[in-house]
Amino acid sequence: MRCSLARPVGLSPVTPPASPFTPRPAAGAPVSLCERQPHVPADRLVAELVPPPRFDAVRFDTYRPDPDQPGQTEAVGVLEGFAAGLGAAPAAKRGWFRKQSAAPAGPGGVYLDGGYGVGKTHLLASVWHAAPVPREAKAFGTFVELTNLVGALGFQQAVTALSGLRLLCIDEFELDDPGDTVLVSSLLGRLADAGVKLAATSNTLPGKLGEGRFAAADFMREIQGLSARFRPLRIDGQDYRHRGLPEAPVPFSDERVEESALRCEGAALDDFGALLAHLARVHPSRYGALCDGVEAVFLRGVTPVADQATALRLVVLADRLYDREVPVMASGVPFDEVFSAEMLAGGYRKKYFRAISRLTALAREAKGL
């Protein structure tokens, strides 16, 4: 844990680097996310298409398959072979006037189908790390980050920027927004035609966990002409974040949250309601930059979210905090009560379940503060 209530005697605290959009705070004074208005240039969006810090050190040999789920071990073997195959140089095929590059042999993509917390992102990041190609020839991003990239660059420029890749990993492919699904599917089609290998994950909807390959069928239908390029891999299992652990921890008092924030270097302290209002004024593509230099987030007065638009913005923020391993200490209601029963039964429920899982994990990590 990077923050603690006590510091070893004789060691000076390390002040986080100043953000380009907010002045450096005095030691021990928390910043406020609500005071930040980050600007993110398009080239940063491209440069940051790498596994997030939480998955920077993961590898196939650090994945711990559930012994009760043999499909997890099988998936590791398939993915290791897929990654290794990316090291083969693309074959050349002769056109009318010159040689043209052809896509490497083998499956054009793999798709990991499974529930929450079974390690799909771990495995997807392991594919990226294991691929024996230069760093600049592979990219890793979430479905939302890809849609944000297309929005920032325009479709054709995004195709141009990504067509030189050998591998593109897409985490959390979303099937609940038809417009975005068609947009990203079109992008992947253009990239696949250029020889880019694809790897993707998405979540089986909570209400469909007992119905076999429901999510895989949806995925293949939505990407239409791309379906033949993907080999689906089913990864069943229990959410590893909750194996043998309690559900969302009991929240702290406002006073405890404030006291801990004052003792933690790199802390951000905000009222939950004010932060939700601020998120409406910041584009979701900038939520990562919103957290630059923040080592821990402290929230006062967490309450159930009233509307879906606000809830979806909170989901994106939860993803960015989880990616960056930023613990969250909060007062108010526990995080498994933030989304209403109606939201958890609706069309965006997979996002809300993922957010609950991740916020609960971050809240557990904050207990060390």
Side-chain angles (χ1 to χ4, degrees):
M1 187 64 63
R2 293 167 292 186
C3 299
S4 63
L5 293 178
R7 299 187 184 280
V9 175
L11 292 183
S12 299
V14 177
T15 303
S19 165
F21 45 81
T22 190
R24 182 192 300 273
V31 300
S32 170
L33 297 181
C34 294
E35 295 177 357
R36 295 182 159 196
Q37 291 287 348
H39 170 70
V40 183
D43 56 353
R44 173 174 169 174
L45 295 177
V46 177
E48 290 185 342
L49 289 178
V50 296
R54 180 175 289 273
F55 297 98
D56 188 51
V58 302
R59 299 294 187 272
F60 286 122
D61 59 7
T62 63
Y63 181 75
R64 297 291 179 262
D66 186 336
D68 296 328
Q69 301 293 342
Q72 294 185 7
T73 300
E74 178 185 357
V76 171
V78 173
L79 294 172
E80 286 180 322
F82 175 77
L86 294 167
K93 60 182 180 180
R94 191 173 299 277
W96 284 103
F97 301 107
R98 60 184 176 86
K99 289 185 177 180
Q100 298 174 320
S101 295
V110 289
Y111 166 67
L112 308 183
D113 170 30
Y116 306 91
V118 296
K120 298 189 306 300
T121 301
H122 183 137
L123 291 174
L124 188 68
S126 297
V127 170
W128 189 92
H129 288 299
V133 298
R135 185 182 181 89
E136 63 271 14
K138 51 188 177 181
F140 182 107
T142 64
F143 181 93
V144 171
E145 287 171 325
L146 279 183
T147 58
N148 289 337
L149 180 68
V150 174
L153 300 182
F155 183 83
Q156 188 54 52
Q157 189 176 350
V159 170
T160 301
L162 301 176
S163 289
L165 299 175
R166 296 285 296 281
L167 170 68
L168 174 61
C169 298
I170 311 104
D171 198 23
E172 303 292 356
F173 201 102
E174 299 181 358
L175 303 172
D176 45 30
D177 188 315
D180 284 348
T181 301
V182 171
L183 175 69
V184 175
S185 296
S186 300
L187 174 66
L188 297 186
R190 296 284 293 275
L191 298 180
D193 289 342
V196 181
K197 294 284 185 148
L198 307 170
T201 75
S202 75
N203 287 323
T204 301
L205 296 176
K208 302 293 184 177
L209 289 175
E211 297 186 21
R213 296 182 178 274
F214 175 84
D218 274 6
F219 178 81
M220 295 303 181
R221 182 184 67 249
E222 295 297 339
I223 62 175
Q224 299 177 9
L226 279 176
S227 61
R229 302 178 189 263
F230 281 87
R231 174 178 177 176
L233 299 172
R234 177 75 183 187
I235 304 178
D236 290 306
Q238 187 181 23
D239 187 337
Y240 77 91
R241 291 179 287 264
H242 295 176
R243 289 178 195 168
L245 295 173
E247 293 303 315
V250 176
F252 295 89
S253 66
D254 286 350
E255 293 75 16
R256 183 67 177 275
V257 169
E258 294 170 359
E259 178 185 83
S260 298
L262 290 171
R263 295 184 180 183
C264 181
E265 293 291 338
L269 174 63
D270 289 280
D271 291 316
F272 184 68
L275 179 59
L276 293 184
H278 182 62
L279 292 180
R281 298 187 289 270
V282 179
H283 191 275
S285 66
R286 302 176 181 177
Y287 287 4
L290 192 70
C291 304
D292 281 353
V294 174
E295 299 289 337
V297 167
F298 297 82
L299 298 175
R300 289 176 298 225
V302 173
T303 59
V305 178
D307 65 280
Q308 191 145 260
T310 301
L312 291 173
R313 287 190 287 268
L314 178 60
V315 168
V316 177
L317 179 65
D319 287 342
R320 300 291 80 79
L321 293 173
Y322 184 79
D323 288 346
R324 287 160 174 76
E325 300 182 296
V326 178
V328 179
M329 177 181 281
S331 64
V333 303
F335 285 121
D336 55 7
E337 297 179 14
V338 166
F339 305 111
S340 69
E342 182 180 3
M343 291 178 182
L344 295 179
Y348 294 109
R349 58 192 182 274
K350 73 183 183 72
K351 297 183 180 182
Y352 300 139
F353 275 86
R354 182 180 78 233
I356 290 172
S357 177
R358 292 183 168 184
L359 287 171
T360 296
L362 295 177
R364 292 196 190 108
E365 293 176 6
K367 294 179 72 173
L369 301 178

